[in-house]
Amino acid sequence: QVQVQESGGGLVQAGDSLRLSCAASGPSFSAIYMAWFRQRPGEEREFVSAINDKGTSTFYRGSGDGRIIISRGNSENTVFLQMNRLKPKDTAVYYCAATADVKRPVTTADAYAYWGRGTQVTVSS
């Protein structure tokens, strides 16, 4: 079976940076798309960013504010999310997701069959 695990969350001050990491593993699994979603307190899960296997196609929520950068790792089935100039509103549980095919838009949660359990990011003011 495929397992997904995130890491890198923590408690930071507003204006600080964090780099989240994620790795998916499983027999014969190749994640052609990996993505990050987040769930802020009292809100539903929302899309943050996605990237294809070659790292040549990226998506960001809205038009992007320039504070986050998604990248694919050199190792297969790995992805990173660099977050700079963090704000209190960025406080959320961040989830990593992966898929071996593209049947739904990659900016939607139902495109991904495999999910991590999340990593907490807390930004204090």
Side-chain angles (χ1 to χ4, degrees):
Q1 60 181 16
V2 177
Q3 293 184 331
V4 180
Q5 188 169 26
E6 315 94 332
S7 63
L11 174 63
V12 298
Q13 189 83 6
D16 287 350
S17 299
L18 277 177
R19 185 184 186 233
L20 306 183
S21 301
C22 175
S25 62
S28 301
F29 180 72
S30 181
I32 61 173
Y33 259 93
M34 298 187 74
W36 291 94
F37 292 76
R38 72 181 181 187
Q39 185 172 13
R40 292 186 283 200
E43 300 182 9
E44 295 185 350
R45 183 174 54 187
E46 64 179 357
F47 172 77
V48 176
S49 187
I51 188 169
N52 70 344
D53 56 344
K54 297 180 176 63
T56 55
S57 182
T58 59
F59 297 84
Y60 294 92
R61 55 185 171 88
S63 60
D65 59 12
R67 298 188 299 114
I68 61 172
I69 301 173
I70 190 170
S71 61
R72 203 69 182 252
N74 292 328
S75 300
E76 189 178 25
N77 303 323
T78 60
V79 66
F80 305 97
L81 188 71
Q82 178 70 41
M83 300 189 293
N84 301 318
R85 291 175 280 121
L86 286 163
K87 303 176 181 179
K89 68 177 182 179
D90 295 320
T91 295
V93 176
Y94 285 74
Y95 296 92
C96 178
T99 184
D101 55 31
V102 181
K103 296 181 178 179
R104 303 294 298 271
V106 295
T107 57
T108 62
D110 56 8
Y112 301 91
Y114 308 105
W115 292 80
R117 294 184 176 182
T119 183
Q120 177 71 48
V121 172
T122 302
V123 185
S124 63
S125 60

